[in-house]
Amino acid sequence: MSEKKIFESAKLHNIMLKNRLIRSATWEGMADIDGHIPDKLYDTYEELAKGGIGAIITGFTSVAGDDHYFGGMVRLSDDELIPEHKRLTDLCHKESCPVIVQIALGEYANGIEPDDMRKEDIHKVISLFIDAAIRADKAEYDGVQIHAAHGFFLSRFISPAYNHRKDGFGGSSQKRGRILVEIINGIREKASSMHITMKINCSDFMRGGLDAQESFAICKLCEDAGINSIEISGNGTSVPGIKPGVNEAYFKEYAYEVSEMTDIPIILVGGHRSVNNMQKILNEGGVEFLSLSRPLICEPNLPNRWKSGDSSPAKCISCNICYQTTGHKCIYCKN
Ligand SMILES: Cc1cc2nc3c(=O)[nH]c(=O)nc-3n(C[C@H](O)[C@H](O)[C@H](O)COP(=O)(O)O)c2cc1C
């Protein structure tokens, strides 16, 4: 196989990207309580789209109107929100930048955990995701990303640390993963041409949690259900203190393994900071796309900078203070 390059066009299943870089979901915390998108959030996306990234995955977008897991979440829980999302997809498409919306649930019904849910609650959650995806299709997103990582609702549901059910939705990785299969099936039925991707923990990295073998089994299950790509992440999501060439790409071994087992594009997130290292990763395993979050908060123009020949590493020092600032900005750069 010929060498993969960062700056070459590549197909993420049915979506053509101008390069192999993707903006990983980054929740900005700027929406109002009903999930309306404020004007200044469009500026963030316009800047990203103009910065040369191959595709954007939006921040955490809640599928439920009563999900208050954290503040400032954008929502896709109501049809009246569709035009605001259409404005967002239009501005990305104007810059020839595909955009995928991350559909997510922080918590269900004020924090009911998987073990305490009735079957109808589970079906309700499945419908919330499918309905949000239908709205995403109407808003002309290129795809949806099911957020099954980082300890949010779906991540807990597929984790043996939180799901001890003994019915068809628990007891084995297949049964815990069934909720994802039903969401994928439902989206495929109602929005047949939408790209469906998923962000999943390669491991919960906690005792009794989802381990790598179980995560891989669920990835395979979702591939069989017709998912189009998978982004590999993990708990401990945004590792601090990344040094270029030293501790980059901290989930890469897991992503290589998933790519061996599946035939769909694998996206790897977490700690990409230098062109040299990223170029190496693309060619030492089966990973096809690299996604970034914090470096683009600091430098939305980073892809264009690298493409123009300035290959000095991302300026992000992985201090994680962006998590604490209004709008999740970088305190060290002008943005
Ligand atoms: C401020 C901030 C907000 C984030 N919001 C989300 C989110 O909404 N959904 C998600 O899946 N990951 C989110 N992440 C995690 C990133 O997408 C990414 O997985 C992680 O930061 C590691 O990649 P990086 O080293 O390129 O930052 C967020 C990270 C940061 C720093």
Side-chain angles (χ1 to χ4, degrees):
M1 221 177 93
S2 61
E3 198 196 350
K4 283 177 264 176
K5 297 192 176 65
I6 298 174
F7 290 103
E8 67 185 355
S9 52
K11 245 183 160 183
L12 180 69
H13 181 64
N14 56 342
I15 312 176
M16 185 55 90
L17 273 62
K18 56 181 165 287
N19 56 52
R20 294 183 182 274
L21 303 177
I22 297 177
R23 189 274 201 145
S24 197
T26 306
W27 152 68
E28 297 89 355
M30 297 203 286
D32 70 10
I33 194 159
D34 297 319
H36 290 288
I37 304 177
D39 279 344
K40 52 185 186 287
L41 195 53
Y42 293 106
D43 299 341
T44 303
Y45 282 90
E46 189 162 25
E47 222 181 351
L48 278 167
K50 286 190 164 147
I53 197 80
I56 293 174
I57 302 176
T58 70
F60 190 111
T61 299
S62 186
V63 297
D66 61 354
D67 174 15
H68 299 293
Y69 194 83
F70 40 59
M73 283 189 263
V74 170
R75 300 182 196 274
L76 253 177
S77 50
D78 198 297
D79 287 355
E80 73 162 30
L81 296 163
I82 295 172
E84 300 173 26
H85 285 268
K86 174 77 167 61
R87 183 176 157 196
L88 196 148
T89 61
D90 279 348
L91 73 84
C92 293
H93 291 154
K94 196 166 154 243
E95 303 301 330
S96 307
C97 184
V99 56
I100 292 170
V101 59
Q102 183 180 63
I103 49 174
L105 186 64
E107 61 182 15
Y108 175 67
N110 289 324
I112 299 181
E113 289 295 332
D115 289 359
D116 303 321
M117 291 173 80
R118 297 162 302 165
K119 281 237 172 82
E120 55 260 45
D121 291 318
I122 298 174
H123 288 294
K124 170 81 184 151
V125 168
I126 293 167
S127 303
L128 285 171
F129 274 89
I130 297 168
D131 291 346
I134 295 168
R135 293 185 192 107
D137 196 26
K138 290 186 179 148
E140 295 181 24
Y141 279 105
D142 298 272
V144 288
Q145 179 176 70
I146 301 164
H147 193 358
H150 307 165
F152 297 111
F153 177 84
L154 288 176
S155 170
R156 290 199 301 282
F157 200 95
I158 61 173
S159 169
Y162 298 94
N163 180 342
H164 309 96
R165 299 180 72 92
K166 302 264 182 294
D167 59 4
F169 286 99
S172 65
S173 50
Q174 275 71 17
K175 287 183 178 168
R176 277 180 269 114
R178 179 177 153 198
I179 192 166
L180 299 175
V181 170
E182 295 208 5
I183 291 170
I184 295 163
N185 287 340
I187 298 175
R188 191 55 78 220
E189 195 184 310
K190 301 273 174 49
S192 58
S193 61
M194 274 212 116
H195 184 95
I196 309 175
T197 184
M198 164 174 83
K199 193 170 189 178
I200 189 169
N201 284 349
C202 56
S203 171
D204 286 347
F205 298 109
M206 62 191 272
R207 188 178 302 169
L210 190 80
D211 64 18
Q213 291 317 313
E214 286 208 299
S215 170
F216 299 162
I218 292 176
C219 288
K220 190 75 201 137
L221 192 72
C222 291
E223 181 188 23
D224 293 343
I227 205 158
N228 303 121
S229 65
I230 298 177
E231 184 180 19
I232 299 297
S233 186
N235 276 353
T237 317
S238 308
V239 172
I242 301 301
K243 298 219 164 26
V246 178
N247 53 353
E248 293 184 64
Y250 37 85
F251 299 128
K252 69 176 179 185
E253 282 81 11
Y254 299 95
Y256 294 165
E257 261 195 74
V258 179
S259 73
E260 290 282 307
M261 297 170 37
T262 55
D263 290 322
I264 50 178
I266 299 302
I267 307 163
L268 171 63
V269 70
H272 303 302
R273 300 293 183 268
S274 67
V275 172
N276 281 355
N277 206 61
M278 291 163 72
Q279 189 60 49
K280 199 167 128 215
I281 286 164
L282 280 176
N283 290 289
E284 74 183 9
V287 166
E288 294 200 36
F289 294 90
L290 304 170
S291 53
L292 307 95
S293 166
R294 291 168 290 174
L296 295 165
I297 296 178
C298 182
E299 292 177 271
N301 192 43
L302 183 59
N304 279 344
R305 168 161 85 72
W306 279 340
K307 189 168 179 236
S308 73
D310 174 357
S311 59
S312 56
K315 290 184 184 145
C316 171
I317 57 164
S318 315
C319 63
N320 285 354
I321 295 174
C322 47
Y323 270 111
Q324 295 153 39
T325 59
T326 310
H328 293 158
K329 301 292 185 188
C330 177
I331 58 162
Y332 293 107
C333 65
K334 284 198 199 109
N335 281 295

